[in-house]
């Protein structure tokens, strides 16, 4: 008799964990598939390419080399030229200027840090990025200093929950950019109103998320502590806070990404500054490859910061078993980790 075949795990098992190597493959595909779609639209002429880039204007008077025109216009002018016996224009199919190819964005990503700004008063890209990071830092820090303690109180004590959460539920539906003019009137036109927009966009969600996380604490832990004679202060600082600290850390990672989504709107308030200023200036100069590069930089900063925070979290809370997912860095590491040899199975004689 042969050994029973080992059953391969399913790719689409309901609530079943995908093996680490397959998870790593899926993580890579999550980046490769959008890039492949972008490359297809950019490099395959018959997929889209609604315009024609003029290479030889020939007899068409207003055509210029490098000019982009609609395909219908290009075909119409060539038909007119052919009917009148004139030389026909030559061109290749192209995408609009606002959709650069991937290699153009990669080149712009490199050149943007080396190319000086057009005007002496304009900041370099790295200066714009640093300014934006400072706005995010202070807005999120102020929100966390107030939102985390208030969220814990709302989750631990129904008194605070009924006192604050109804208003917070109402206020969180108000768009943060709507307070832009009011923030400028109160705080001026420089960085203070931008930090205020980050604060408004994050604080109210933060209190509710932290309160919900606090309420998920196992009630048996509180009952056991009360049985041992713990008072209200001890329950809060020795049971509730240590019991939710890991989930609270995960919530802060998610909320930090939430704060980044308000950056562009916040930097438009008052005087335009930071990475938003760079994006607007490059769009004004029609350098859309630089616009895409700046957007990619924001995503890379967010992704790298989240991976770094996940790494720090594993060092701060080594006892915490991973639940519901694995970080990008861990998955890629497991992808290339050699498998351990499994012990051979033996059958018992009948």
């Amino acid at each position: 008799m042969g050994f029973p075949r080992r059953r391969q795990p399913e790719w689409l098992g309901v609530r079943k964990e995908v093996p680490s190597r397959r998870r790593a493959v899926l993580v890579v595909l999550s980046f490769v598939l959008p890039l492949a779609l972008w490359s297809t639209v950019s490099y395959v002429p018959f997929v889209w390419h609604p315009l024609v880039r003029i290479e030889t204007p020939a007899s068409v008077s207003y055509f210029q080399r490098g000019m982009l025109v609609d395909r219908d216009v290009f075909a119409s002018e060539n038909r007119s030229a052919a009917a009148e016996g004139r030389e026909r224009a030559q061109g290749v199919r192209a995408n609009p200027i606002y959709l650069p190819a991937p290699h153009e964005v990669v080149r712009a990503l490199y050149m943007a840090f080396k190319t000086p700004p057009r005007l002496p008063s304009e900041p370099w890209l790295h200066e714009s990025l640093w300014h934006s990071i400072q706005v995010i830092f202070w807005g999120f820090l102020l929100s966390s200093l107030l939102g985390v303690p208030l969220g814990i109180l709302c989750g631990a004590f129904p008194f605070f929950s009924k006192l604050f959460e109804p208003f917070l539920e109402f206020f969180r539906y108000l768009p943060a950019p709507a307070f832009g003019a009011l923030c400028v009137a109160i705080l001026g036109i420089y960085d203070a109103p931008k930090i205020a927009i980050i604060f408004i966009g994050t604080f109210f969600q933060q209190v509710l998320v932290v309160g919900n996380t606090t309420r998920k604490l196992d009630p048996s832990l509180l009952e056991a502590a009360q049985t041992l004679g713990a008072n209200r202060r001890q329950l809060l600082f020795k049971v509730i806070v240590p019991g939710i600290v890991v989930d609270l850390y995960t919530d802060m990672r998610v909320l930090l990404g939430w704060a980044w989504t308000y950056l562009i709107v916040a930097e438009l308030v008052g005087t335009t500054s930071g990475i938003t200023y760079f994006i607007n200036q490059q769009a004004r100069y029609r350098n859309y490859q630089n616009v895409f590069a700046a957007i990619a930089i924001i995503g890379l900063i967010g992704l790298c910061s989240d991976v770094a925070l996940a790494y720090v979290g594993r060092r701060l809370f080594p006892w915490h078993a991973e639940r519901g997912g694995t970080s990008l860095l861990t998955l890629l590491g497991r992808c290339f980790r050699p498998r351990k040899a499994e012990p051979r199975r033996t059958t018992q004689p009948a």
Side-chain angles (χ1 to χ4, degrees):
M1 294 180 60
F3 296 109
R5 293 186 61 184
R6 184 179 179 183
R7 185 178 179 183
Q8 295 294 327
E10 298 180 3
W11 283 89
L12 298 176
V14 178
R15 299 298 299 270
K16 292 183 179 179
E17 194 63 37
V18 180
S20 59
R21 288 182 179 270
R22 292 187 179 182
R23 276 182 284 173
V25 170
L26 293 175
V27 168
V28 173
L29 285 177
S30 68
F31 290 92
V32 170
L33 291 178
L35 181 60
L37 178 61
W38 182 16
S39 300
T40 301
V41 174
S42 298
Y43 299 125
V44 181
F46 57 83
V47 172
W48 189 38
H49 291 70
L51 304 178
V52 175
R53 178 178 287 107
I54 304 300
E55 293 188 337
T56 305
S59 61
V60 182
S61 60
Y62 68 91
F63 279 1
Q64 297 179 3
R65 183 177 178 82
M67 179 182 179
L68 293 174
V69 298
D70 290 336
R71 288 162 55 187
D72 294 339
V73 173
F74 181 79
S76 175
E77 292 294 342
N78 273 343
R79 283 195 299 267
S80 300
E84 298 172 4
R86 294 183 285 108
E87 184 181 0
R88 301 174 63 182
Q90 302 294 325
V92 294
R93 294 179 61 173
N95 280 328
I97 191 174
Y98 57 78
L99 184 61
H103 75 277
E104 296 175 335
V105 175
V106 172
R107 183 170 61 244
L109 190 62
Y110 171 73
M111 294 301 298
F113 288 97
K114 300 180 60 177
T115 305
R118 293 196 177 189
L119 300 177
S121 60
E122 295 179 356
W124 285 71
L125 176 58
H126 66 274
E127 295 174 336
S128 299
L129 282 173
W130 177 241
H131 185 273
S132 297
I133 291 173
Q134 288 179 304
V135 170
I136 290 292
F137 173 80
W138 288 112
F140 187 72
L141 177 64
L142 293 175
S143 173
S144 300
L145 290 176
L146 296 177
V148 172
L150 183 58
I152 293 175
L153 289 176
C154 290
F157 301 100
F159 171 83
F160 291 106
S161 175
K162 301 304 180 183
L163 180 62
F164 292 113
E165 288 192 352
F167 175 76
L168 295 176
E169 289 283 359
F170 158 76
F171 205 94
R172 74 187 182 99
Y173 288 102
L174 303 180
F179 296 89
L182 185 61
C183 291
V184 169
I186 298 174
L187 301 173
I189 62 174
Y190 296 106
D191 285 349
K194 309 178 195 308
I195 295 172
I197 293 298
I198 300 295
F199 177 89
I200 294 172
T202 308
F203 171 76
F204 301 97
Q205 311 288 346
Q206 192 171 37
V207 174
L208 298 175
V209 169
V210 173
N212 187 55
T213 297
T214 305
R215 280 187 283 268
K216 290 181 179 179
L217 181 68
D218 188 355
S220 61
L221 297 176
L222 297 174
E223 295 171 358
Q226 288 172 326
T227 302
L228 295 174
N231 57 33
R232 191 160 44 203
R233 181 183 180 87
Q234 291 172 328
L235 286 175
L236 182 61
F237 290 101
K238 295 188 177 181
V239 180
I240 294 177
V241 173
I244 67 169
V245 64
V246 178
D247 292 329
L248 179 61
Y249 185 84
T250 302
D251 290 341
M252 299 299 284
R253 285 172 52 196
V254 175
L255 290 164
L256 178 60
W258 192 299
W260 272 98
T261 62
Y262 284 98
L263 175 65
I264 300 299
V265 174
E267 289 186 331
L268 290 174
V269 175
T271 56
T272 306
S273 60
I275 193 65
T276 304
Y277 179 81
F278 178 83
I279 291 175
N280 288 342
Q281 288 298 101
Q282 296 305 314
R284 183 177 302 173
Y285 300 141
R286 298 177 67 83
N287 295 328
Y288 290 101
Q289 66 275 12
N290 289 341
V291 174
F292 273 73
I295 295 173
I297 289 173
I298 295 175
L300 288 173
I301 292 175
L303 178 62
C304 292
S305 62
D306 188 70
V307 170
L309 290 173
Y311 177 83
V312 172
R314 290 194 300 274
R315 294 297 179 268
L316 291 176
F317 317 114
W319 66 88
H320 178 63
E322 293 178 355
R323 295 175 297 177
T326 309
S327 70
L328 174 64
L329 193 63
T330 303
L331 286 174
L332 294 179
R334 290 178 180 177
C335 183
F336 301 102
R337 183 183 302 169
R339 293 182 178 180
K340 296 181 180 180
E342 296 184 0
R344 295 183 61 183
R345 298 181 180 180
T346 58
T347 55
Q348 297 292 335

